[in-house]
Amino acid sequence: MRHATKNDDAAYEHAFHQAQVELVKFQKHVIKHGQKVLVIFEGRDAAGKDGTIKRIVEHLSPRETRVVALGAPSDRDQRAWYFQRYVEQLPVGGEIVLFNRSWYNRAGVERVMGFCTDAEYEEFMKTVPMFEQLLVHCGFTILKYYLDISHEEQERRLKQRHKDPLRQWKLSPIDAKASRHWKDYSEARNVMLARTHSVFAPWIIVRADEKRSARLNVIRDLLSRCDFHGKDRHGPPADPNAVFLFDAGQLANGMIAK
């Protein structure tokens, strides 16, 4: 594998700066026109959701940008409508909200680890497309990104967390079981993508083994899917081999990690 050079680093930072300039233009448009933008990030443990979100919001206005990463549901949350605590976090006019994991916890970790019943899972899978269609009908822009990494890369990153004292906060009991349940998570992911991919709220797959590529291409893809005043239509598009709309065939052809 070729190692990055100083020229590679400089080219990446220049491209990233350009992309972040476009993000600022986009946010100004969102604020001016009172748009409600929701960006959902899902993916394996250690897939790079934190780092990607951090780079997206780095130069955006903190007043009109929120990152939502909810913890385990409380006793009250467990007695409420499943979507209720997420609805409270949705963007209002002029806001961009990024969910670091979302209501899709029910289709992923809750399903794999047995934190929900079969009936609760099935109800979620049936109702989430209707819920998202309602949000879009009510003026929300929804972008759903699934960050996909290989089993080998996940193991490497989880080992890094154990060794690096500055990453200890990322460790959780779920992390310890992530690698052992790789196949279970794959099966849950495959069903989730197939059943909740839709025209109004499609899944966008991000091949995230290479962190820098994933971060840059997510921003480029996000910008390409949103119209805004001052948009540089001649800017480079996202790499179609790195970021692409979900298709069921990708589960068999190697585009999505098995």
Side-chain angles (χ1 to χ4, degrees), residues 116-141:
C116 66
T117 66
D118 289 345
E120 289 170 333
Y121 167 79
E122 192 57 38
E123 180 182 12
F124 169 79
M125 296 296 278
K126 288 179 179 178
T127 58
V128 69
M130 294 185 284
F131 174 64
E132 291 175 349
Q133 186 174 17
L134 174 63
L135 292 181
V136 173
H137 178 75
C138 292
F140 289 84
T141 296

Side-chain angles (χ1 to χ4, degrees), residues 229-241:
H229 180 71
K231 182 175 181 177
D232 182 359
R233 299 187 183 278
H234 301 289
D239 179 353
N241 291 313

Side-chain angles (χ1 to χ4, degrees), residues 41-212:
F41 285 94
E42 293 289 341
R44 305 269 190 181
D45 289 313
K49 297 178 291 295
D50 294 324
T52 301
I53 291 171
K54 181 179 179 180
R55 294 307 299 266
I56 289 173
V57 304
E58 191 171 15
H59 297 291
L60 298 183
S61 166
R63 185 174 298 173
E64 287 87 13
T65 309
R66 286 188 293 118
V67 176
V68 176
L70 298 181
S74 65
D75 290 341
R76 183 178 184 277
D77 290 332
Q78 292 177 345
R79 290 183 284 113
W81 177 45
Y82 177 71
F83 294 102
Q84 193 161 326
R85 69 185 189 131
Y86 295 103
V87 169
E88 294 172 355
Q89 302 295 335
L90 291 174
V92 299
E95 276 191 334
I96 299 172
V97 172
L98 301 96
F99 275 15
N100 187 343
R101 296 198 183 278
S102 66
W103 42 74
Y104 283 103
N105 275 337
R106 176 135 295 176
V109 65
E110 289 190 21
R111 177 64 168 172
V112 171
M113 303 307 297
F115 296 157
C116 66
T117 66
D118 289 345
E120 289 170 333
Y121 167 79
E122 192 57 38
E123 180 182 12
F124 169 79
M125 296 296 278
K126 288 179 179 178
T127 58
V128 69
M130 294 185 284
F131 174 64
E132 291 175 349
Q133 186 174 17
L134 174 63
L135 292 181
V136 173
H137 178 75
C138 292
F140 289 84
T141 296
I142 303 177
L143 295 167
K144 302 190 304 191
Y145 289 98
Y146 185 90
L147 273 59
D148 191 53
I149 56 174
S150 65
H151 196 182
E152 294 75 18
E153 181 63 15
Q154 184 190 59
E155 289 187 327
R156 188 188 70 79
R157 292 182 187 181
L158 290 175
K159 287 178 182 177
Q160 261 189 339
R161 288 183 181 182
H162 283 280
K163 294 178 181 178
D164 187 346
L166 296 179
R167 301 185 187 187
Q168 294 294 306
W169 63 272
K170 290 189 174 185
L171 294 173
S172 72
I174 298 297
D175 285 341
K177 301 176 182 179
S179 186
R180 296 203 305 270
H181 287 277
W182 177 268
K183 289 185 178 180
D184 297 326
Y185 275 110
S186 292
E187 291 174 5
R189 174 206 62 194
N190 295 351
V191 175
M192 178 191 79
L193 293 174
R195 292 185 62 180
T196 64
H197 178 71
S198 64
V199 173
F200 44 85
W203 278 107
I204 305 159
I205 308 300
V206 183
R207 302 182 79 175
D209 272 13
E210 211 291 298
K211 289 182 180 181
R212 298 202 307 181

